[in-house]
Amino acid sequence: MTVLEDRIEMADADGELTLDELFESLERNTPEGYKVEIVEGAIYMSPQRDTHWEIIADIYEQLRTKYPRKRVKSDVRVDYPGHLNGFASDVTLVAENAEKNSKGLWRFEDIEFVAEVISKGTAANDYGPKKTAYAIAEVPVLLIADPYQGKCHLYTQPKGGEYRTELSVAFGVDIDMTTTPLGLTLKTEEFPRD
């Protein structure tokens, strides 16, 4: 059976696939080393690069100094508010007592922190509809690390579908998040630039 035949077969009465159906089909056809996300119904595949991975690993390792491994996730699907938003954020911190939903996915209501590392092809998503979806979901802390700008953008205090505070910090400068629910300072001196 071809991908097109799969999609036709899976279409619901309205002719639109669900997130579960889309991801099921994509999992069978995604090349090794690519990350897949669905943002407002559009499918995005992006290759993982060394720079991208090094920043993700650095953030993950710093979170692990405070949080247990079971709470820190990478590239794990979470469905967010809005039309067909299934994101696989670069780094996600789930709440201490978080439980998966009936589909086996983490609930967006239990997400305490998200970090996205910019890729050229999907930067507009991270700064646009994904940031909006995170704000609507009231994710308390969003960090966007941009190796092209050599900056991190920290967003906090979500309300009414937007973040009320933003802090931009150049790579090499510590990001003080001790006053946020994250409660730590993130070091960026080893974040590589593209």
Side-chain angles (χ1 to χ4, degrees):
M1 188 173 281
T2 68
V3 173
L4 181 57
E5 289 169 333
D6 281 348
R7 288 182 182 159
I8 291 169
E9 186 176 302
M10 291 186 303
D12 63 16
D14 296 335
E16 184 171 311
L17 301 176
T18 66
L19 275 174
D20 291 336
E21 292 166 336
L22 285 167
F23 274 107
E24 183 180 311
S25 177
L26 290 167
E27 286 171 2
R28 293 189 302 258
N29 299 296
T30 302
E32 182 80 25
Y34 278 74
K35 172 178 152 176
V36 176
E37 292 188 300
I38 301 173
V39 180
E40 297 183 328
I43 298 166
Y44 294 90
M45 280 193 259
S46 53
Q48 298 290 6
R49 300 174 340 276
D50 282 345
T51 300
H52 195 260
W53 170 243
E54 287 177 30
I55 295 171
I56 292 168
D58 199 345
I59 294 169
Y60 176 86
E61 289 169 357
Q62 291 184 63
L63 288 176
R64 285 284 295 120
T65 65
K66 182 172 180 173
Y67 299 102
R69 180 177 292 122
K70 67 180 183 177
R71 290 187 56 197
V72 184
K73 310 296 178 190
S74 180
D75 291 341
V76 173
R77 175 182 159 198
V78 176
D79 294 347
Y80 284 92
H83 177 68
L84 294 178
N85 282 327
F87 305 159
S89 306
D90 293 318
V91 181
T92 301
L93 178 69
V94 298
E96 186 172 352
N97 297 317
E99 293 185 17
K100 292 182 178 180
N101 65 20
S102 61
K103 296 180 189 178
L105 302 173
W106 295 105
R107 300 170 344 114
F108 71 83
E109 295 91 345
D110 293 328
I111 305 303
E112 295 184 345
F113 168 78
V114 167
E116 293 287 4
V117 180
I118 295 297
S119 295
K120 271 189 181 175
T122 58
N125 289 337
D126 292 332
Y127 285 116
K130 287 178 72 176
K131 183 177 110 180
T132 299
Y134 294 138
I136 291 168
E138 296 187 352
V139 172
V141 183
L142 168 62
L143 178 72
I144 297 178
D146 192 328
Y148 302 99
Q149 294 178 356
K151 290 183 179 178
C152 286
H153 304 279
L154 180 68
Y155 301 93
T156 58
Q157 299 182 340
K159 187 171 183 178
E162 60 184 42
Y163 284 98
R164 296 182 338 188
T165 62
E166 176 184 351
L167 172 68
S168 293
V169 176
F171 283 10
V173 176
D174 292 352
I175 304 171
D176 182 359
M177 295 188 281
T178 56
T179 60
T180 73
L182 214 56
L184 58 79
T185 297
L186 188 73
K187 309 239 179 247
T188 68
E189 71 267 0
E190 293 185 17
F191 286 11
R193 293 185 63 142
D194 253 349

